[in-house]
Amino acid sequence: MSAREMFNAVGTAVGGLIGWPETPPPADPDTLRELFADLGVTIGDSDEELAEMVRAFQARVGLDVDGVAGPHTVHLLVRYANEVRERHLGMAA
């Protein structure tokens, strides 16, 4: 299974867990890069570079470090990205 297929499968499974009001964004590499960008982290096009950042994020938030953006990882990544966006919106108001 390719990284893209794995992230898409995870995205489908995570939809109900996160509780998005609409269809959740796919947990594909591009979406994960956007979420990390919201946290101020820029990741190149390499799947290995993305997996390394996922591992670093997992270690930082106390998850099992495996480099796979599974449901718990994606849930926390979305939550933290949303918090950063909300803070920025609050500062702009």
Side-chain angles (χ1 to χ4, degrees):
M1 177 181 277
S2 73
R4 184 170 300 279
E5 291 168 330
M6 176 192 59
F7 287 126
N8 284 334
V10 169
T12 302
V14 169
L17 174 67
I18 294 176
W20 282 298
E22 299 175 13
T23 303
D28 63 30
D30 292 334
T31 301
L32 292 171
R33 284 182 177 86
E34 288 175 17
L35 291 168
F36 277 115
D38 288 340
L39 298 175
V41 177
T42 303
I43 303 170
D45 293 333
S46 160
D47 285 343
E48 183 52 40
E49 190 175 345
L50 178 59
E52 183 60 35
M53 184 50 60
V54 168
R55 284 189 287 275
F57 177 77
Q58 289 168 328
R60 174 101 180 167
V61 298
L63 295 173
D64 290 337
V65 178
D66 61 8
V68 176
H72 292 110
T73 301
V74 174
H75 175 75
L76 288 175
L77 185 57
V78 168
R79 189 174 95 192
Y80 292 137
N82 285 338
E83 288 176 8
V84 168
R85 276 188 235 115
E86 288 173 11
R87 260 189 270 141
H88 282 111
L89 289 175
M91 296 167 103

